Amino acid sequence: MPQLILASTSRYRHELLSRLRLPFDAMAPDVDETALPGEAPAALAERLALAKARDVAARFPGAIVIGSDQVADLAGEAIGKPGTHAAAAVQLRRMSGREVVFQTAVAVVAPGLAAIERAEVRVRVRELSDAAIEAYLRADQPYDCAGSAKVESLGIALLDAVESDDPTALVGLPLIRTCALLRRAGLEPLA
């Protein structure tokens, strides 16, 4: 079996890929994640996922490399990782009572293959009081998550609904699409 590499240092993506029970290594890609002028959130996610996979694949010829990226889209505006408590509170206030679309792209680069898939997750955020935002942020500290919420944790209490055909996409790695891409690269997760 060729070496499988996750082009990410995200603990969330690492945990998700571990669910497939395939041996893999994780490597940090060297990619500038700055959006291009006028770049739509979906295009940004796709470009970065492929760039991450290509960067690591260039260092490990013969490997199967998975790259992924997620961008939260609030009315066409990319919402990134907040980094701080104050920035997360601002994001959640802006998202309160609105729909946010999470664009999650996954790419697989392997000998003879460079393919990408994108999963779209629609999230309806309930009306949030400042007290609810503060309580949530103190409990979950989602400062490294696009959109300032961990749906796999207490962040689920912030939402009215989640719509997706690939449930792990919201956490950062759409596993249904990842499995399909791995099969295209010649790696069957159930073998």
Short mmCIF file of all heavy atoms in Angstrom, two decimals, residues 137-189:
data_model
loop_
_atom_site.label_atom_id
_atom_site.label_comp_id
_atom_site.label_asym_id
_atom_site.label_seq_id
_atom_site.Cartn_x
_atom_site.Cartn_y
_atom_site.Cartn_z
N LEU A 137 -18.84 30.34 24.42
CA LEU A 137 -17.41 30.57 24.16
C LEU A 137 -16.56 30.17 25.36
O LEU A 137 -15.48 29.60 25.20
CB LEU A 137 -17.16 32.02 23.77
CG LEU A 137 -17.72 32.44 22.42
CD1 LEU A 137 -17.48 33.92 22.17
CD2 LEU A 137 -17.13 31.59 21.29
N ARG A 138 -17.02 30.44 26.56
CA ARG A 138 -16.28 30.05 27.76
C ARG A 138 -16.20 28.52 27.88
O ARG A 138 -15.19 27.98 28.31
CB ARG A 138 -16.92 30.64 29.01
CG ARG A 138 -16.89 32.14 29.04
CD ARG A 138 -15.75 32.67 29.87
NE ARG A 138 -15.76 34.13 29.82
CZ ARG A 138 -14.72 34.84 29.44
NH1 ARG A 138 -13.60 34.26 29.11
NH2 ARG A 138 -14.79 36.15 29.40
N ALA A 139 -17.25 27.84 27.47
CA ALA A 139 -17.29 26.38 27.61
C ALA A 139 -16.48 25.66 26.54
O ALA A 139 -15.73 24.73 26.84
CB ALA A 139 -18.75 25.90 27.56
N ASP A 140 -16.61 26.08 25.27
CA ASP A 140 -16.01 25.33 24.16
C ASP A 140 -14.70 25.92 23.63
O ASP A 140 -13.91 25.22 23.02
CB ASP A 140 -17.01 25.21 23.01
CG ASP A 140 -17.42 23.79 22.72
OD1 ASP A 140 -17.02 22.87 23.46
OD2 ASP A 140 -18.16 23.59 21.73
N GLN A 141 -14.51 27.22 23.77
CA GLN A 141 -13.32 27.91 23.28
C GLN A 141 -12.99 27.51 21.84
O GLN A 141 -11.90 27.01 21.55
CB GLN A 141 -12.14 27.67 24.22
CG GLN A 141 -12.41 28.13 25.62
CD GLN A 141 -11.27 27.88 26.59
OE1 GLN A 141 -10.21 27.41 26.21
NE2 GLN A 141 -11.50 28.20 27.83
N PRO A 142 -13.90 27.79 20.89
CA PRO A 142 -13.74 27.35 19.51
C PRO A 142 -12.92 28.32 18.65
O PRO A 142 -13.26 28.59 17.50
CB PRO A 142 -15.19 27.30 19.02
CG PRO A 142 -15.80 28.48 19.73
CD PRO A 142 -15.16 28.48 21.10
N TYR A 143 -11.86 28.83 19.18
CA TYR A 143 -11.11 29.90 18.52
C TYR A 143 -10.33 29.43 17.30
O TYR A 143 -9.88 30.25 16.51
CB TYR A 143 -10.20 30.59 19.54
CG TYR A 143 -10.94 30.96 20.81
CD1 TYR A 143 -10.43 30.61 22.05
CD2 TYR A 143 -12.16 31.61 20.76
CE1 TYR A 143 -11.13 30.92 23.22
CE2 TYR A 143 -12.87 31.92 21.91
CZ TYR A 143 -12.35 31.57 23.14
OH TYR A 143 -13.04 31.87 24.28
N ASP A 144 -10.20 28.11 17.14
CA ASP A 144 -9.50 27.56 15.97
C ASP A 144 -10.47 26.95 14.96
O ASP A 144 -10.08 26.15 14.12
CB ASP A 144 -8.45 26.53 16.39
CG ASP A 144 -9.05 25.33 17.10
OD1 ASP A 144 -10.22 25.38 17.52
OD2 ASP A 144 -8.34 24.31 17.23
N CYS A 145 -11.74 27.33 15.04
CA CYS A 145 -12.77 26.77 14.17
C CYS A 145 -13.40 27.88 13.31
O CYS A 145 -13.84 28.90 13.84
CB CYS A 145 -13.88 26.13 15.00
SG CYS A 145 -13.32 24.76 16.00
N ALA A 146 -13.48 27.63 12.00
CA ALA A 146 -14.17 28.57 11.12
C ALA A 146 -15.61 28.72 11.60
O ALA A 146 -16.29 27.74 11.86
CB ALA A 146 -14.15 28.07 9.68
N GLY A 147 -16.05 29.96 11.76
CA GLY A 147 -17.41 30.19 12.23
C GLY A 147 -17.60 30.14 13.72
O GLY A 147 -18.71 30.26 14.22
N SER A 148 -16.53 29.95 14.47
CA SER A 148 -16.56 30.05 15.94
C SER A 148 -17.47 29.05 16.64
O SER A 148 -18.05 29.36 17.68
CB SER A 148 -16.96 31.46 16.38
OG SER A 148 -16.07 32.42 15.87
N ALA A 149 -17.63 27.85 16.08
CA ALA A 149 -18.48 26.86 16.74
C ALA A 149 -17.99 25.45 16.45
O ALA A 149 -17.53 25.17 15.34
CB ALA A 149 -19.92 27.00 16.28
N LYS A 150 -18.11 24.59 17.45
CA LYS A 150 -17.79 23.16 17.30
C LYS A 150 -19.11 22.39 17.34
O LYS A 150 -19.65 22.13 18.41
CB LYS A 150 -16.89 22.70 18.44
CG LYS A 150 -15.52 23.32 18.47
CD LYS A 150 -14.72 22.76 19.64
CE LYS A 150 -13.39 23.46 19.79
NZ LYS A 150 -12.64 22.93 20.95
N VAL A 151 -19.62 22.04 16.17
CA VAL A 151 -20.90 21.34 16.11
C VAL A 151 -20.81 19.96 16.75
O VAL A 151 -21.81 19.44 17.23
CB VAL A 151 -21.40 21.26 14.65
CG1 VAL A 151 -20.59 20.28 13.84
CG2 VAL A 151 -22.87 20.92 14.62
N GLU A 152 -19.63 19.39 16.80
CA GLU A 152 -19.44 18.07 17.40
C GLU A 152 -19.41 18.14 18.92
O GLU A 152 -19.28 17.13 19.60
CB GLU A 152 -18.16 17.40 16.86
CG GLU A 152 -16.86 18.04 17.31
CD GLU A 152 -16.42 19.26 16.50
OE1 GLU A 152 -17.24 19.86 15.76
OE2 GLU A 152 -15.25 19.64 16.63
N SER A 153 -19.56 19.33 19.45
CA SER A 153 -19.52 19.55 20.89
C SER A 153 -20.73 20.42 21.27
O SER A 153 -21.79 20.30 20.67
CB SER A 153 -18.18 20.21 21.24
OG SER A 153 -18.01 20.37 22.60
N LEU A 154 -20.56 21.30 22.21
CA LEU A 154 -21.65 22.14 22.69
C LEU A 154 -22.17 23.11 21.63
O LEU A 154 -23.29 23.61 21.74
CB LEU A 154 -21.20 22.90 23.95
CG LEU A 154 -22.24 23.73 24.68
CD1 LEU A 154 -23.42 22.88 25.12
CD2 LEU A 154 -21.60 24.44 25.86
N GLY A 155 -21.39 23.34 20.60
CA GLY A 155 -21.81 24.23 19.53
C GLY A 155 -23.12 23.83 18.87
O GLY A 155 -23.80 24.67 18.27
N ILE A 156 -23.49 22.58 18.98
CA ILE A 156 -24.76 22.12 18.42
C ILE A 156 -25.94 22.89 19.05
O ILE A 156 -26.97 23.10 18.40
CB ILE A 156 -24.92 20.59 18.59
CG1 ILE A 156 -25.98 20.03 17.65
CG2 ILE A 156 -25.21 20.22 20.02
CD1 ILE A 156 -25.57 19.97 16.21
N ALA A 157 -25.78 23.38 20.28
CA ALA A 157 -26.84 24.13 20.96
C ALA A 157 -27.04 25.52 20.36
O ALA A 157 -28.03 26.19 20.68
CB ALA A 157 -26.52 24.24 22.45
N LEU A 158 -26.15 25.96 19.49
CA LEU A 158 -26.27 27.26 18.84
C LEU A 158 -27.16 27.20 17.60
O LEU A 158 -27.52 28.23 17.05
CB LEU A 158 -24.90 27.78 18.40
CG LEU A 158 -23.82 27.94 19.48
CD1 LEU A 158 -22.48 28.27 18.83
CD2 LEU A 158 -24.23 29.01 20.48
N LEU A 159 -27.50 25.99 17.17
CA LEU A 159 -28.10 25.81 15.85
C LEU A 159 -29.57 25.41 15.89
O LEU A 159 -30.02 24.75 16.82
CB LEU A 159 -27.32 24.73 15.09
CG LEU A 159 -25.81 24.91 15.04
CD1 LEU A 159 -25.16 23.77 14.27
CD2 LEU A 159 -25.43 26.27 14.46
N ASP A 160 -30.28 25.80 14.83
CA ASP A 160 -31.64 25.35 14.60
C ASP A 160 -31.65 24.15 13.65
O ASP A 160 -32.50 23.29 13.75
CB ASP A 160 -32.50 26.46 13.99
CG ASP A 160 -33.01 27.45 15.02
OD1 ASP A 160 -33.17 27.06 16.19
OD2 ASP A 160 -33.24 28.62 14.65
N ALA A 161 -30.70 24.11 12.69
CA ALA A 161 -30.69 23.02 11.71
C ALA A 161 -29.34 22.93 11.02
O ALA A 161 -28.61 23.93 10.91
CB ALA A 161 -31.78 23.24 10.68
N VAL A 162 -29.04 21.71 10.54
CA VAL A 162 -27.86 21.44 9.73
C VAL A 162 -28.32 20.60 8.55
O VAL A 162 -28.99 19.58 8.74
CB VAL A 162 -26.78 20.66 10.52
CG1 VAL A 162 -25.60 20.31 9.63
CG2 VAL A 162 -26.31 21.45 11.73
N GLU A 163 -27.97 21.02 7.34
CA GLU A 163 -28.35 20.28 6.14
C GLU A 163 -27.10 19.94 5.33
O GLU A 163 -26.37 20.83 4.91
CB GLU A 163 -29.30 21.11 5.28
CG GLU A 163 -30.60 21.45 5.96
CD GLU A 163 -31.44 22.45 5.16
OE1 GLU A 163 -31.19 22.61 3.95
OE2 GLU A 163 -32.33 23.06 5.77
N SER A 164 -26.87 18.62 5.13
CA SER A 164 -25.70 18.18 4.36
C SER A 164 -25.88 16.73 3.95
O SER A 164 -26.55 15.96 4.64
CB SER A 164 -24.43 18.31 5.20
OG SER A 164 -23.32 17.80 4.49
N ASP A 165 -25.24 16.36 2.83
CA ASP A 165 -25.24 14.96 2.43
C ASP A 165 -23.94 14.27 2.86
O ASP A 165 -23.71 13.12 2.51
CB ASP A 165 -25.46 14.82 0.93
CG ASP A 165 -24.35 15.44 0.09
OD1 ASP A 165 -23.44 16.08 0.66
OD2 ASP A 165 -24.39 15.29 -1.14
N ASP A 166 -23.09 14.97 3.59
CA ASP A 166 -21.82 14.40 4.08
C ASP A 166 -21.60 14.96 5.49
O ASP A 166 -21.01 16.01 5.66
CB ASP A 166 -20.68 14.78 3.14
CG ASP A 166 -19.48 13.87 3.25
OD1 ASP A 166 -19.27 13.27 4.33
OD2 ASP A 166 -18.72 13.76 2.27
N PRO A 167 -22.12 14.27 6.52
CA PRO A 167 -22.19 14.85 7.86
C PRO A 167 -20.86 15.27 8.48
O PRO A 167 -20.83 16.17 9.31
CB PRO A 167 -22.87 13.77 8.70
CG PRO A 167 -22.72 12.51 7.92
CD PRO A 167 -22.64 12.91 6.48
N THR A 168 -19.76 14.64 8.11
CA THR A 168 -18.48 15.03 8.70
C THR A 168 -17.89 16.28 8.05
O THR A 168 -16.91 16.83 8.55
CB THR A 168 -17.46 13.87 8.60
OG1 THR A 168 -17.32 13.49 7.23
CG2 THR A 168 -17.90 12.69 9.44
N ALA A 169 -18.49 16.74 6.96
CA ALA A 169 -17.97 17.94 6.28
C ALA A 169 -17.96 19.15 7.20
O ALA A 169 -17.06 19.98 7.12
CB ALA A 169 -18.81 18.23 5.04
N LEU A 170 -18.93 19.25 8.08
CA LEU A 170 -19.00 20.41 8.96
C LEU A 170 -17.85 20.45 9.96
O LEU A 170 -17.42 21.51 10.38
CB LEU A 170 -20.35 20.44 9.70
CG LEU A 170 -20.65 21.70 10.49
CD1 LEU A 170 -20.49 22.97 9.66
CD2 LEU A 170 -22.04 21.63 11.07
N VAL A 171 -17.30 19.30 10.29
CA VAL A 171 -16.17 19.24 11.23
C VAL A 171 -14.85 19.51 10.50
O VAL A 171 -13.87 19.89 11.12
CB VAL A 171 -16.14 17.89 11.97
CG1 VAL A 171 -15.03 17.85 13.00
CG2 VAL A 171 -17.48 17.65 12.65
N GLY A 172 -14.82 19.35 9.16
CA GLY A 172 -13.63 19.74 8.43
C GLY A 172 -13.07 18.76 7.43
O GLY A 172 -12.12 19.08 6.72
N LEU A 173 -13.63 17.55 7.35
CA LEU A 173 -13.16 16.58 6.35
C LEU A 173 -14.35 15.73 5.93
O LEU A 173 -14.80 14.88 6.70
CB LEU A 173 -12.04 15.70 6.90
CG LEU A 173 -11.42 14.70 5.92
CD1 LEU A 173 -10.70 15.42 4.78
CD2 LEU A 173 -10.45 13.78 6.64
N PRO A 174 -14.89 15.95 4.72
CA PRO A 174 -16.06 15.18 4.28
C PRO A 174 -15.65 13.74 3.96
O PRO A 174 -15.11 13.45 2.90
CB PRO A 174 -16.53 15.94 3.04
CG PRO A 174 -15.34 16.68 2.54
CD PRO A 174 -14.47 16.94 3.75
N LEU A 175 -15.92 12.84 4.89
CA LEU A 175 -15.41 11.47 4.76
C LEU A 175 -16.06 10.68 3.63
O LEU A 175 -15.41 9.81 3.04
CB LEU A 175 -15.56 10.71 6.08
CG LEU A 175 -14.60 11.14 7.18
CD1 LEU A 175 -14.84 10.32 8.44
CD2 LEU A 175 -13.15 11.01 6.74
N ILE A 176 -17.30 10.94 3.30
CA ILE A 176 -17.92 10.24 2.17
C ILE A 176 -17.15 10.58 0.89
O ILE A 176 -16.78 9.69 0.12
CB ILE A 176 -19.42 10.58 2.05
CG1 ILE A 176 -20.18 10.02 3.26
CG2 ILE A 176 -19.99 10.03 0.74
CD1 ILE A 176 -21.62 10.48 3.34
N ARG A 177 -16.90 11.84 0.69
CA ARG A 177 -16.16 12.27 -0.50
C ARG A 177 -14.69 11.83 -0.42
O ARG A 177 -14.09 11.47 -1.43
CB ARG A 177 -16.29 13.78 -0.68
CG ARG A 177 -17.67 14.15 -1.21
CD ARG A 177 -17.94 15.64 -1.12
NE ARG A 177 -19.20 16.00 -1.72
CZ ARG A 177 -20.38 15.83 -1.14
NH1 ARG A 177 -20.48 15.27 0.04
NH2 ARG A 177 -21.48 16.21 -1.76
N THR A 178 -14.11 11.84 0.77
CA THR A 178 -12.73 11.37 0.93
C THR A 178 -12.63 9.90 0.52
O THR A 178 -11.70 9.53 -0.21
CB THR A 178 -12.27 11.56 2.39
OG1 THR A 178 -12.33 12.96 2.71
CG2 THR A 178 -10.85 11.07 2.58
N CYS A 179 -13.55 9.08 0.96
CA CYS A 179 -13.54 7.66 0.58
C CYS A 179 -13.63 7.49 -0.93
O CYS A 179 -12.92 6.67 -1.52
CB CYS A 179 -14.67 6.90 1.26
SG CYS A 179 -14.41 6.64 3.03
N ALA A 180 -14.50 8.26 -1.57
CA ALA A 180 -14.65 8.17 -3.02
C ALA A 180 -13.35 8.55 -3.72
O ALA A 180 -12.92 7.88 -4.68
CB ALA A 180 -15.79 9.07 -3.49
N LEU A 181 -12.69 9.59 -3.24
CA LEU A 181 -11.42 10.01 -3.85
C LEU A 181 -10.31 8.99 -3.59
O LEU A 181 -9.48 8.74 -4.48
CB LEU A 181 -11.01 11.38 -3.32
CG LEU A 181 -11.87 12.56 -3.81
CD1 LEU A 181 -11.50 13.83 -3.06
CD2 LEU A 181 -11.72 12.75 -5.32
N LEU A 182 -10.29 8.40 -2.41
CA LEU A 182 -9.28 7.37 -2.13
C LEU A 182 -9.47 6.17 -3.06
O LEU A 182 -8.49 5.59 -3.54
CB LEU A 182 -9.34 6.94 -0.66
CG LEU A 182 -8.84 7.98 0.35
CD1 LEU A 182 -9.07 7.49 1.77
CD2 LEU A 182 -7.37 8.32 0.11
N ARG A 183 -10.71 5.80 -3.31
CA ARG A 183 -10.97 4.70 -4.25
C ARG A 183 -10.44 5.04 -5.63
O ARG A 183 -9.87 4.19 -6.31
CB ARG A 183 -12.47 4.38 -4.31
CG ARG A 183 -12.97 3.66 -3.09
CD ARG A 183 -14.46 3.25 -3.24
NE ARG A 183 -15.00 2.97 -1.95
CZ ARG A 183 -15.74 3.79 -1.22
NH1 ARG A 183 -16.09 4.97 -1.66
NH2 ARG A 183 -16.18 3.42 -0.03
N ARG A 184 -10.64 6.28 -6.07
CA ARG A 184 -10.11 6.72 -7.37
C ARG A 184 -8.59 6.63 -7.42
O ARG A 184 -8.00 6.39 -8.47
CB ARG A 184 -10.56 8.15 -7.70
CG ARG A 184 -12.02 8.23 -8.08
CD ARG A 184 -12.45 9.62 -8.43
NE ARG A 184 -11.70 10.17 -9.55
CZ ARG A 184 -11.78 11.45 -9.93
NH1 ARG A 184 -12.58 12.29 -9.27
NH2 ARG A 184 -11.08 11.90 -10.94
N ALA A 185 -7.95 6.81 -6.25
CA ALA A 185 -6.49 6.72 -6.17
C ALA A 185 -6.02 5.27 -6.00
O ALA A 185 -4.82 5.02 -5.90
CB ALA A 185 -5.99 7.57 -5.01
N GLY A 186 -6.97 4.32 -5.95
CA GLY A 186 -6.60 2.92 -5.84
C GLY A 186 -6.53 2.40 -4.42
O GLY A 186 -6.01 1.30 -4.19
N LEU A 187 -7.04 3.15 -3.47
CA LEU A 187 -7.01 2.75 -2.07
C LEU A 187 -8.44 2.54 -1.57
O LEU A 187 -9.21 3.49 -1.43
CB LEU A 187 -6.30 3.80 -1.22
CG LEU A 187 -6.20 3.55 0.28
CD1 LEU A 187 -5.47 2.23 0.57
CD2 LEU A 187 -5.48 4.70 0.95
N GLU A 188 -8.81 1.30 -1.33
CA GLU A 188 -10.15 0.96 -0.86
C GLU A 188 -10.15 0.94 0.66
O GLU A 188 -9.49 0.10 1.27
CB GLU A 188 -10.57 -0.40 -1.42
CG GLU A 188 -11.85 -0.95 -0.82
CD GLU A 188 -13.04 -0.03 -0.94
OE1 GLU A 188 -13.42 0.32 -2.08
OE2 GLU A 188 -13.59 0.36 0.11
N PRO A 189 -10.89 1.86 1.30
CA PRO A 189 -10.91 1.90 2.77
C PRO A 189 -11.41 0.60 3.42
O PRO A 189 -11.02 0.31 4.54
CB PRO A 189 -11.86 3.06 3.08
CG PRO A 189 -11.76 3.94 1.89
CD PRO A 189 -11.60 3.01 0.72
#
